[in-house]
């Protein structure tokens, strides 16, 4: 069976195509959403999900989150006594989802469709594939997140013909995609986005505002305190989606600091971010050669679209209300499972066809001779595949070296929309071997092939000899070689992972510890009492006793959060 995975900045989900529709799979604590957080404790092993997220506030030095933003950057993260690449941390999350699916479906799962932000570049896509391989997955396809969301909506749609705009604001990325649907065919017309804009940036704005109000510099708080303040900012941001003001209490060194913010102020503080949302929408509409009035439906995807400022902006731009029919947290994973069903040629999806586009322009650098052989204009971008071309696509053109007598033709591959390569993203360097010819320049045919997963392959053919070289990447920073992936896979196999059937208990202890740090006085005492009660129950190793204690603690925590004791 092929599963569909939404590997998110904040949360990740796994789903499979059931009898006639996609179905989400629960994790070990019974949730569909697994926070993309990893805790490294050598004694108890690696812990993934909600427990790790709670430990982020009490043990930030041993815990990591939001590492999707660093995929493909080469940046190593120190977590506890060990160092990990962002790909390895994502691999832990993927491994945990894999275990959930295997438990639920009762079979070994290897094949997966994994969603990525449409605006993820080639390096980030390859990093996602590497993470999946390290986790033991065989990636059958990468699917763009808004396309996945549209697939889920397409299956769910009532009418057969419509043009819709999917706005996907997740934790770390922003994508906008325009699709046309007619008689079961879903065609992506255009995609645009910002790979470095997401809900987390809105949380950072609240966190900075609180730091300032408390009289601290941006990095003026110790890590653990900063992590708690940020978690509070996150909670307050979510409250602001349903109420005009929100407040909370920050506890530090035995003192309570009440904090409050209104939605109006929040929207003022984040105005710069909101402005960045408009540009990709305008670009997608113009690339699709449409006007706002021609968009029939607006679909909001990603947790951060719950902020009223986003739906208000859409209503203002398109003069109609966006739709929220499917849960914005679930829809990408559901769509990835529909794509998995399509790959499996599932009977229920016989009528459905999907086409996607390459959301950005791909090309390489060239130099131009100006007045003479030594007067060169270098670093010019030569596009080969233009943005919003339907994929898969293969395009080639011939390039001529500047002078004869060389043994190699060196080209750098870039992605972007700027006329000079310095303003675009470099995704690889290549050297095409050419036969030595002191008299004439040897022409080379350069071919780019962009597949349905959005992964690029580059071939160079020497025109005079017909010799083809599959161009070898000259170590772009952030890219892992197949040997490295294999090594990391083996290394990860040896790392101790927290036993799945004990995750519920670990999660509860993490939550109690986090709440303990966040409270004072009587509430703190009661949390401490519950913690002790639960630890005693754990020591009995009696499943029924542990279960009963866990239920009692969970009810108590529910009661406390219901009575706003933590606000
Ligand atoms: P996703 O990547 O789709 O899981 O989206 C995660 C982002 O959605 C995070 O930045 C969350 O803070 C944000 N988010 C989730 N729920 C809400 C809410 N109720 N209001 C505002 N933002 C939210």
């Amino acid at each position: 069976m092929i599963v569909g995975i939404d590997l998110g900045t904040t949360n990740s989900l796994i789903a499979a195509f059931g009898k006639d529709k996609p179905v989400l799979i629960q994790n070990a604590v019974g949730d569909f959403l697994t926070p993309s957080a990893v805790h490294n404790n050598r004694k108890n092993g690696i812990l993934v999900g909600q427990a790790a997220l709670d430990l982020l506030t009490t043990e930030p030095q041993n815990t990591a989150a939001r590492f999707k933003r660093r995929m493909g950057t080469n940046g190593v993260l120190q977590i506890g006594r060990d160092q990990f690449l962002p790909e390895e941390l994502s691999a832990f999350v993927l491994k945990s989802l894999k275990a959930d699916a295997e438990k639920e479906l009762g079979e070994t799962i290897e094949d997966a469709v994994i969603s990525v932000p449409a605006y993820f570049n080639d390096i980030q896509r390859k990093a996602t594939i590497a993470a999946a391989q390290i986790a033991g997955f065989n990636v059958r396809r990468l699917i763009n997140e808004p396309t996945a969301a549209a697939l889920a909506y397409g299956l769910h749609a009532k009418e057969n013909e419509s043009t819709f705009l999917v706005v996907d604001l997740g934790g770390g990325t922003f994508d906008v995609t325009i699709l046309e649907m007619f008689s079961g065919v879903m065609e992506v017309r255009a995609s645009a986005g910002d790979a470095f804009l997401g809900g987390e940036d809105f949380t950072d704005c609240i966190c900075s505002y609180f730091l300032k109000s408390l009289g601290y510099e941006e990095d003026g708080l110790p890590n653990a305190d900063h992590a708690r303040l940020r978690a509070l900012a996150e909670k307050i941001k979510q409250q602001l989606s349903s109420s005009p003001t929100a407040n909370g209490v920050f506890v530090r060194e035995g003192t309570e600091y009440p904090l409050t913010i209104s939605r109006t102020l929040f929207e003022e503080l984040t105005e710069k971010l909101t402005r960045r949302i408009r540009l990709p929408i305008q670009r997608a509409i113009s690339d699709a050669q449409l006007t706002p009035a021609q968009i029939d439906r607006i679909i909001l995807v990603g947790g951060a679209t719950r902020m009223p400022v986003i739906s208000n902006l859409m209503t203002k731009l398109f003069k109609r209300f966006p739709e929220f029919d499917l849960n914005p947290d679930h829809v990408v994973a559901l769509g990835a499972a529909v794509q998995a069903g399509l790959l499996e040629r599932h009977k229920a999806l016989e009528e459905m066809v999907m086409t996607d586009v390459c959301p950005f322009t791909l090309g390489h650098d060239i130099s131009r001779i100006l007045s003479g052989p030594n007067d060169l204009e270098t670093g010019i971008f030569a596009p080969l595949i233009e943005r919003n071309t339907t994929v898969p696509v293969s395009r080639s053109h011939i390039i001529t070296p500047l002078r004869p007598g060389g043994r190699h033709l060196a080209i750098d591959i870039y992605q972007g929309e700027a006329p000079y390569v310095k303003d675009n993203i470099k995704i690889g360097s290549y050297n095409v071997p050419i036969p030595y010819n002191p008299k004439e320049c040897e022409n080379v045919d350069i071919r780019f092939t962009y597949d349905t997963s959005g992964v690029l392959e580059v071939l160079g053919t020497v025109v005079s000899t017909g010799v083809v070289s599959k161009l070898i990447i000259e170590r772009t920073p952030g890219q892992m070689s197949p040997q490295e992936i294999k090594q990391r896979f083996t290394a990860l196999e040896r790392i101790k992972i927290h036993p799945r059937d004990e995750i519920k208990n670990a999660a509860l202890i993490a939550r109690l510890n986090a709440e303990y740090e966040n409270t004072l006085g009587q509430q703190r005492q009661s949390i401490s009492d519950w913690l002790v009660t639960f630890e005693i129950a754990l020591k009995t190793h009696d499943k029924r006793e542990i279960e009963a204690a866990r239920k009692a603690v969970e009810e108590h925590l529910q009661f406390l959060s219901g009575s706003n004791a933590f606000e």
Side-chain angles (χ1 to χ4, degrees), residues 331-393:
V331 65
V332 170
L334 292 173
V338 176
Q339 178 64 70
L342 282 169
L343 288 173
E344 283 174 324
R345 299 185 189 281
H346 201 291
K347 254 196 132 13
L349 298 169
E350 261 171 2
E351 310 281 294
M352 208 164 179
V353 179
M354 174 88 222
T355 68
D356 208 338
V357 297
C358 165
F360 25 68
T361 302
L362 292 160
H364 56 83
D365 64 333
I366 50 164
S367 300
R368 250 187 221 131
I369 298 175
L370 300 173
S371 58
N374 294 325
D375 184 13
L376 293 179
E377 174 80 343
T378 57
I380 300 164
F381 185 48
L384 200 45
I385 296 177
E386 300 239 89
R387 72 168 186 257
N388 290 321
T389 308
T390 301
V391 295
V393 55

Side-chain angles (χ1 to χ4, degrees), residues 141-144 146-148 150-151 177-182 184-191 339 342 352-358 388-392 451-453:
R141 170 90 50 103
L142 293 181
I143 181 167
N144 291 329
T147 307
L151 266 182
T177 288
I178 295 175
L179 291 105
E180 258 179 12
M181 191 169 84
F182 49 93
V185 178
M186 301 191 60
E187 190 181 304
V188 174
R189 292 280 305 272
S191 268
Q339 178 64 70
L342 282 169
M352 208 164 179
V353 179
M354 174 88 222
T355 68
D356 208 338
V357 297
C358 165
N388 290 321
T389 308
T390 301
V391 295
D451 69 12
T452 42
S453 288

Side-chain angles (χ1 to χ4, degrees), residues 10-11 170-171 199-200 234 237-238 241 302-304 306-307:
T10 321
N11 295 300
E200 302 294 328
E234 171 65 34
K237 178 186 79 174
Q238 297 203 15
S241 294
R306 290 207 178 87
M307 293 185 292

Side-chain angles (χ1 to χ4, degrees), residues 6 8-13 33 68 168-172 198-201 203 234 237-242 301-308 328-329:
D6 172 4
T9 308
T10 321
N11 295 300
S12 296
L13 299 93
L33 267 69
K68 177 173 170 180
D168 180 359
L169 188 64
E200 302 294 328
D201 299 303
T203 308
E234 171 65 34
K237 178 186 79 174
Q238 297 203 15
Q239 277 175 24
L240 284 177
S241 294
S242 51
V301 182
T305 53
R306 290 207 178 87
M307 293 185 292
D329 291 327

Side-chain angles (χ1 to χ4, degrees), residues 77-123:
L77 289 104
Q78 179 81 36
I79 303 161
R81 280 193 281 154
D82 304 300
Q83 290 192 328
F84 296 101
L85 289 169
E87 285 83 344
E88 288 176 290
L89 295 169
S90 293
F92 285 127
V93 176
L94 289 165
K95 261 192 142 180
S96 155
L97 298 174
K98 189 169 184 275
D100 295 333
E102 288 178 347
K103 171 105 179 120
E104 171 85 18
L105 303 169
E107 58 181 283
T108 305
I109 302 292
E110 279 177 355
D111 290 335
V113 171
I114 302 183
S115 66
V116 288
Y119 227 64
F120 246 23
N121 64 41
D122 196 64
I123 300 167

